[in-house]
Each structure stands twice: as structure tokens, then as C-alpha cells.
Amino acid sequence: MNFSADLAVAYPELILGVGALALLVWGAFAPKMSTAIGWASVLVLAAAAAMAATQPLGVAFAGGLVFDAGAAFAKVAIYVASAVCVPLGQRWFARRGVTNFEFPILILIAALGMGMMASSGDLISLYVGVELHSLALYVLAAMHRDDAKASEAGLKYFVLGALSSGLLLYGASLIYGFAGSTVFTDIAVAVQGGAGTGVLFGLIFLICGLAFKVSAAPFHMWTPDVYEGAPTPVVAFFAAAPKLAAMVLFARALGQGFAGAAHQWQEVLVAIGLISVAVGAFAGLAQKNLKRLWAYSSIANVGYAIIGLSSGDAQGVQAMLVFMVLYMIDVTGFFACLAALSRQGRAMETIEDMAGLIKEQPGIALAMTAFSLSALGLPPFSGFWGKYFVFKAAIHAGLGPAAVAGLVGSVVAAFYYLRLIKVMWFDAALGATDRPAPEARIIAVALALFSFPVVMVALHWIDPLAAEAARAFGLA
């Protein structure tokens, strides 16, 4: 394949890279046009998503970049989720007097890194993609520079992120040293019938590094502090697209590189998944701050997704993809609700702040109720279908006890979702709330409608597309 054909495989990344550079130059010469730059960023993301949905499949750069049905599915979801967060965050910053043009450009750079993660065909492109999106996320966490909590969140995320990058890089170097190649398809040949001790050590370090990126326990320590300190729209972005990108990278690395050692990594994933569910369910019970509560909720939900992936077959990957897409919609909608709410100019972020919300802001309260019931897993909300697919895949793969343990964790976690609903619907209001931000309210209500009833129709398209995407990851 010649160089121009290689570039053709990377068209979505080229659109994002060129778009980010062009908008950066525009912003440098006209910094006051931040709103226009924000909408231009949305157009760039839409163009990248359209290209990812329509371009032909292929492999480029000696196997370093793979564009298959799995990459196409993930990229479209990632770019659309990123585009939703641009107006949500830009208007939020503007209302607080923080006018900057860098926010949407950092979203573009993070989306570029996430696109590379979804298309990674070897350990080098894996590492470049992870670092590219991580660097943008560190800056986004500290975007509100006058806020001490945001600066602390950015610093913590950077320091602990550097630790995880070290684990990832050490694991990759061990795998290369013992398998003799960085390309997943070559590694798959080297580990046919099982991984040797050296490769296995490298694989465990690689899994630990990726587990940090998806905030799976016991590598979750950064998540509650960063979620609490970072600006709310930035948290909405953290909790959605980067999680899907990291889980897709998880599936691609394990499926295409280590399918022959599935019996060795399956037990490690089951352990990480169950620990995540337990930590997320029980630690969330003690939380009063909603951003910290949903941080623990995200840890538990990543645990469910990992249980699906640990099935070690295409059905498990399909379940993980469906689960992550539906979860991504719920979590973005919930943080859009939080971004919309304030009382006398103060952000409403604790459970007590939500007292009597149904009387003050019935639309937002109904949306938050829908997202809470969905995260709880109540039928027929979208969260129920995500868990249904995951547990079904686990049982099909002979992981019935893991599915039962996940279900128990889901029941325990139901307490904190129901407590929030009870406070919103039955407690006395603490006072009038401010008028909700229109863009956040529109996004929250639209995503709540997707959670139910639109999801019942959308699943007819999402599930077959996820099935086709799952077959591309190399697990039978």
C-alpha cells in the first residue's frame, strides 16, 4: 500500500488534526471569536464522523492503523459525543466569565487521540493515541484556572496519569521484547496456544495501564477527586467518549493481539470487573456530592462493561459496545442537568441541593429521574438493556457467578439512585433556582428522551451495528 492509500485510511484523523491546527491559528489571531470557533469545531467533528461512517475499510502504516467495522462504530459514537460537549462546555465557561477559544480545540485534539485508540493496530499507535487524548484531558480538567479545585484536579490527573502511562509503556516493552513485534497480528501468532511468562507479565502491565484509563478498580483512585474538581461539562466529556475509546482499545488489544491467551486474561478481567462493581456500589453509598457519586457510579458501570468483555467472545464485545454507547448517553445527560442547575449563582452539586427540584424545575427533575432510573437498570430504560446484554453474554460464556455478583452490585447501587429521586420528588425545596442554561436543558431533555422511549427504536440499529463491529475484534 502506498503512502497516499495509507493516508486515505486516516481521513477522519486528518480532518480532526488539520481542523484543530486551523482553528488554533484562527483563535490566536481572533481570540474573541470563541463562539464561532466552537461551532466550527462541531462542524469538524461532524465531518470526521461522516467520513468514518462512509469511508472504505483498510489497513495502513504496516498494520499500525486499522479501519474496520469496529473502528467505524466507535469513531462515529466518539465524535458525536464530543460534538455534544462543545456547546455544553463553551456556554458554561462563558457564563462564568472564562472566555477562551482553547476549549473546543482541546476537545478536537482529544477526539483525534481517541480515534487513533479505536484504530490502533500495534502497540506504538496504541501508546500515541492514549497519550494524545490524555494530554488534552489533563489540560481540560484544569481549564477553569481561577478555581483551586479545578487546578488540583488537573494536577492529580496528570500525576496519576503519568504513572499509568509508565505501566502501559513498560507492559508494551515487555510484550515487544518477548513476542518480537509490536503489531497485534504478529503478537497473536507468537501467543497461539497461550502466552509465555514474559509476554504474560507484559500483558498484565498493559491491562493495568488500560484499567487506569477506564477508571476500573483498583486503579480508580483519581476518578472521584477529578470528577469533583473539574468543571461539570468537562466531567460530562470525561465520563463518556474517553471511556468508550479506552474500552474499544481494550477489546482490540486483547482480541486481535491475545486471542490465543484468552483463558489467561479472562480471569484477570473478571477480577477487575467484580472489584470495580463492588467499589462503585458500596463506596457510592457514602457520597453526598453528586459528581463524586457519579464518579463511583462510573467505576461500577465500567465493571459491568469489563464483565461483558471478559466473556472472551464476539457476543461479549457486542454487549460491551451496546452497554458503553447507552451509558455514554445517560452520563452525558446527567451532567448536562447538573450544568443547567444553579441557585443564586451557586452551582447545585450535592444531593441536598436537589431537594424539591420537581417543583422548581420539573423538566430537569424528570430528566434526572430518567437518567437515575436508567443507571439503576430499571426496565425499559436504556441502562436496563445495556446490563441485560452484558449479563446475557457473561452467562453464555460460562461466567454465571460473575453475572450474579454484578447483579447484586447493581441492586446495592440502586440505593443511591433512589435516594436522589426521593430527595427531588418528596423533600421540601430549599429556595428558588436560577433559570436553567438553555443549551444544557435542551441537551439534557433530548438525551433523557433517548433513554426512554427512543432507545426502544434505536436498539434495532445499535445492536446489529455493534454485532458487526464486534466481529472485527478477532474474538470468535
Side-chain angles (χ1 to χ4, degrees), residues 60-66 116-117 119-129 172 181-187 249 252-253 256:
F61 303 112
L65 210 60
V66 178
M116 283 195 67
M117 290 164 69
S119 279
S120 292
D122 68 7
L123 295 170
I124 296 173
S125 55
L126 176 154
Y127 187 73
V128 172
S181 177
T182 60
V183 182
F184 291 152
T185 50
D186 294 340
I187 294 171
L249 181 58
R252 187 177 293 284
Q256 293 189 340

Side-chain angles (χ1 to χ4, degrees), residues 63-159:
L65 210 60
V66 178
F67 187 77
D68 53 20
F73 179 89
K75 286 183 184 183
V76 171
I78 288 167
Y79 299 156
V80 171
S82 302
V84 169
C85 291
V86 171
L88 184 66
Q90 203 166 35
R91 297 295 297 274
W92 187 91
F93 281 114
R95 284 192 295 276
R96 284 153 183 79
V98 183
T99 53
N100 55 55
F101 66 88
E102 296 92 345
F103 174 77
I105 296 172
L106 285 166
I107 295 276
L108 285 183
I109 294 171
L112 172 59
M114 289 186 282
M116 283 195 67
M117 290 164 69
S119 279
S120 292
D122 68 7
L123 295 170
I124 296 173
S125 55
L126 176 154
Y127 187 73
V128 172
V130 167
E131 288 308 299
L132 187 57
H133 105 289
S134 295
L135 288 172
L137 297 188
Y138 302 148
V139 181
L140 283 170
M143 201 73 200
H144 199 183
R145 285 170 291 189
D146 296 333
D147 186 284
K149 278 190 172 180
S151 301
E152 182 185 347
L155 186 61
K156 280 184 179 175
Y157 196 16
F158 172 72
V159 172

